[in-house]
Amino acid sequence: RFATVSANEVVGRAVSTAVSILLALRGWGYWALVLGLLAQALSIAIGAWWLCRWIPSLPRRGVGTRAVLRFAAHVYGTFNANYFTRNFDNLLVGWRFNAVALGYYKKAYDLFALSASQLTAPLNNVALAALSRVRNDPARFRRHLANSIEMVAFVGMAMGADLTLVGKDVVRLVLGSKWLESGRIFELFGPGIGVMLLYSTIGWIHLSIGKPERWFRWTLVESTATGLMFIVALPWGPGGIAVAWSVSFWVLLIPAFWYAGRPIQFGASQLLIAVWKYALASMAAGWISTITLRRLAFSGEPSGVPYALEEIIVISVVFIMLYLGAVILLHRGCSPLRQLRSLLLELAPVSRTAALQEATRES
């Protein structure tokens, strides 16, 4: 019931927005944002109980509940550690500099994190369900995992390189020219977007094979390493923290996959085989785009929404054409495009409904 869950979350966001706006108009200040978030959580909780009328019974001994609670405790321990890491940078910027610098940095980070939530979040439930079904078949598990990582790399590497090229213009288009400092910071986040998307898939491995405790232990290592990088980069300002984010994903990616893949013999070499062509294609396409467009057609710094939109469209179109050409050349064919098309069709609600109906008829 992915569509039902998504609808409930959309309603929750709508409630949050409405509550925040109404309270802000009544002069509640920043408390309007706080209460808006609480209203979102409350709305989603009420919707979940209303959409699923099952009510659990009281706990009993000897039915396996302890294992379920242990699994959940490790997962939420991971979420809490990640929450701390993803707010430690805000704490440092606000403490070391001022509210204005924090505002510019936070807006750039929000756009950086938005790319992950929009791409990998919709895949999480689907990927976990698919991988969990083949957890007892290591060969099929590794093959499905490699294919999934390859598709994330295909889209993610392109997204990261393109946003590095046009990030400043995206911020100018969306937020206005007064937020150009956020655009400069966002461009420093850009090189880490593709790797961040790949990094987010390690949870698929830990959860689908039933090892959330390994995920929790690795998250503690990750949080410590990333926090130290933030402290080292702090003298360079918010831009230095943004670079530390990008560097942390590049540095931790291979160790994270090596640790997560040990129980299933999925090593770093298999990760590199799945992603290196897309990384090379994105770097080549980005470099050529920079030479042919940045230095020639867009060498000035005009302001205004029309110019920003024009620059985004032209650079993105040229980059995507070069990127797809490089991918096809490196793969000696269009197999990645066909694989991506089949994945999108599988994720489409209409396709899933038709497949379910066909399976029901066959049974």
Side-chain angles (χ1 to χ4, degrees), residues 6-20:
S6 298
N8 187 36
E9 293 178 352
V10 169
V11 170
R13 289 183 180 276
V15 170
S16 173
T17 303
V19 169
S20 297

Side-chain angles (χ1 to χ4, degrees), residues 42-197:
L42 181 62
S43 172
I44 292 176
I46 293 174
W49 281 99
W50 183 74
L51 293 167
C52 180
R53 300 302 178 91
W54 171 76
I55 299 177
S57 61
L58 294 175
R60 290 180 296 171
R61 293 182 179 274
V63 294
T65 306
R66 182 176 300 176
V68 175
L69 293 176
R70 189 182 302 114
F71 189 101
H74 284 115
V75 172
Y76 280 97
T78 300
F79 291 167
N80 287 330
N82 277 328
Y83 181 84
F84 171 79
T85 304
R86 279 155 178 72
N87 286 275
F88 185 52
D89 54 344
N90 296 326
L91 178 66
L92 290 176
V93 172
W95 166 72
R96 180 64 176 81
F97 302 100
N98 52 47
V100 175
L102 178 59
Y104 286 135
Y105 173 82
K106 185 64 168 63
K107 190 59 64 176
Y109 175 81
D110 288 344
L111 292 173
F112 168 64
L114 182 65
S115 59
S117 63
Q118 293 301 309
L119 180 60
T120 59
L123 295 175
N124 285 339
N125 291 334
V126 178
L128 282 174
L131 292 173
S132 297
R133 292 191 192 100
V134 296
R135 57 178 292 185
N136 295 322
D137 187 345
R140 288 186 63 195
F141 187 100
R142 289 191 294 268
R143 184 169 63 252
H144 286 317
L145 178 61
N147 290 336
S148 300
I149 291 173
E150 188 175 349
M151 288 299 95
V152 172
F154 183 20
V155 178
M157 289 299 177
M159 182 186 296
D162 187 37
L163 289 176
T164 301
L165 296 174
V166 301
K168 187 160 55 177
D169 298 299
V170 170
V171 173
R172 180 166 53 183
L173 176 66
V174 175
L175 301 177
S177 59
K178 293 184 178 181
W179 289 88
L180 282 180
E181 182 60 28
S182 289
R184 298 187 184 96
I185 298 173
F186 180 64
E187 287 183 333
L188 299 175
F189 277 117
I193 290 177
V195 188
M196 175 186 63
L197 297 175

Side-chain angles (χ1 to χ4, degrees), residues 226-246:
T226 305
L228 291 175
M229 291 184 190
F230 289 162
I231 295 173
V232 171
L234 189 59
W236 285 272
I241 301 293
V243 173
W245 264 121
S246 297

